[in-house]
Amino acid sequence: MMIKPLEKNNGGYFGETIVISDVLDRIATAAKIHGWIIENFSQSTELPLYGLSRIAKHERLSAYISSGIHGDEPGGPLTLLEMLEANTWPNDVSLYICPCLNPTGFKNNTRENSIGIDLNRDYRHFNSTETKAHKSWIESIPSFGISICVHEDWEAKGFYLYELNPEKINSASLEILNAVSSVCPIDQSELIDGRPANCGLLKPLESPDVRPLWPEALYIVQNNKTRLSYTLEAPSDFPLYFRTHALRHAIETTLNAHLSEN
Ligand SMILES: [Zn+2]
């Protein structure tokens, strides 16, 4: 049976929401049980900004994963919660995870934080306390082989992804899209978010210098924390369990693809 869009997202995200304080509590509990290093780099006392680390004994890959930078995209934090609770990460991968970068946005189901800043456009000028604190944490960890930024798109017809890969090194994008296509439709639009797309793959080409506002992924690549970044986008007009399943499959495929080439 093919799952159909719910057709609820009329002008924004109108699907299921999460109670972010509960999700963050469960994330901290799971991380503690499974031996992660847990840092709270938030400058405020309201809600934590967690940076989780797990260093592999025999590292063959290091990966950074972030989500929840947009408060109307619950699929990312929920997927990472499920993966942290299941604790079935592949061996030999050092992991650095920020499970929710915009906790105040989730309280009101807004893309922006509680004072109206789109944090994923604040990685050039760092006007918000969240991005400033996140930048310091990122600077404190070693560089990593790949980056995975987990998002959702309320307008998308299916799953798609952005690849930032200035040196055109071996990427797993086609493998990820192929794997996800078995559990979720791929957005086949020729234009997604105003950019040319090819069967769900977007490779933004414009020079960073001409972009006045930078997303997280661009900051990470421009600062050489990694040279290969994936931004995963799940279609949030589908049921939440369906999106977390697709996102988990995409993350696991990405890690395994890069492990098998090392
Ligand atoms: Zn987003």
Side-chain angles (χ1 to χ4, degrees):
M1 189 190 76
M2 199 59 202
I3 292 276
K4 290 204 174 85
L6 301 168
E7 298 188 356
K8 278 187 183 173
N9 287 355
N10 190 2
Y13 178 62
F14 286 96
E16 298 142 271
T17 56
I18 54 176
V19 179
I20 196 62
S21 53
D22 292 352
V23 169
L24 290 168
D25 283 349
R26 283 174 62 190
I27 282 172
T29 302
K32 200 172 172 188
I33 288 170
H34 299 299
W36 291 71
I37 300 161
I38 307 170
E39 291 170 88
N40 173 10
F41 54 79
S42 174
Q43 304 295 314
S44 89
T45 51
E46 199 187 359
L47 285 163
L49 290 168
Y50 286 129
L52 313 175
S53 323
R54 192 198 80 156
I55 314 301
K57 272 205 192 85
H58 306 285
E59 181 184 295
R60 288 194 294 134
L61 175 69
S62 59
Y64 163 80
I65 308 174
S66 77
S67 78
I69 200 167
H70 289 138
D72 57 351
E73 301 174 7
L78 204 55
T79 302
L80 292 176
L81 167 61
E82 288 174 14
M83 294 180 77
L84 286 160
E85 287 185 339
N87 196 39
T88 52
W89 303 95
N91 290 324
D92 305 341
V93 187
S94 291
L95 289 161
Y96 304 92
I97 297 184
C98 293
C100 185
L101 289 170
N102 178 16
T104 68
F106 280 90
K107 286 178 137 183
N108 304 315
N109 186 37
T110 56
R111 176 181 175 92
E112 298 81 11
N113 71 359
S114 59
I115 56 165
I117 301 176
D118 183 341
L119 300 180
N120 206 33
R121 298 291 179 272
D122 194 32
Y123 279 81
R124 187 165 192 175
H125 303 298
F126 298 95
N127 290 315
S128 65
T129 55
E130 293 93 333
T131 56
K132 275 194 197 97
H134 183 222
K135 178 176 188 274
S136 304
W137 188 78
I138 287 281
E139 286 169 354
S140 78
I141 62 171
S143 59
F144 31 85
I146 57 166
S147 154
I148 306 172
C149 299
V150 186
H151 285 252
E152 300 197 284
D153 182 339
W154 63 265
E155 287 178 291
K157 307 267 183 294
F159 183 95
Y160 65 94
L161 70 82
Y162 293 91
E163 175 186 314
L164 289 181
N165 183 1
E167 275 88 43
K168 298 190 169 57
I169 54 181
N170 261 347
S171 111
S173 292
L174 296 181
E175 198 175 332
I176 300 164
L177 288 164
N178 188 42
V180 172
S181 72
S182 66
V183 297
C184 177
I186 303 297
D187 193 328
Q188 302 292 345
S189 312
E190 287 176 11
L191 213 58
I192 300 177
D193 219 9
R195 289 197 168 78
N198 188 358
C199 300
L201 177 55
L202 287 84
K203 296 183 183 181
L205 291 172
E206 71 270 61
S207 154
D209 300 324
V210 303
R211 289 190 70 168
L213 303 172
W214 286 8
E216 178 197 11
L218 190 55
Y219 155 73
I220 285 169
V221 170
Q222 283 303 113
N223 283 278
N224 292 314
K225 288 308 286 194
T226 190
R227 301 309 293 158
L228 179 54
S229 164
Y230 303 97
T231 297
L232 311 179
E233 298 274 359
S236 66
D237 207 11
F238 286 81
L240 187 53
Y241 79 89
F242 184 82
R243 288 133 55 193
T244 57
H245 183 60
L247 287 170
R248 181 171 175 173
H249 199 42
I251 294 167
E252 289 174 347
T253 302
T254 311
L255 296 175
N256 287 323
H258 283 280
L259 269 172
S260 68
E261 70 174 23
N262 284 355

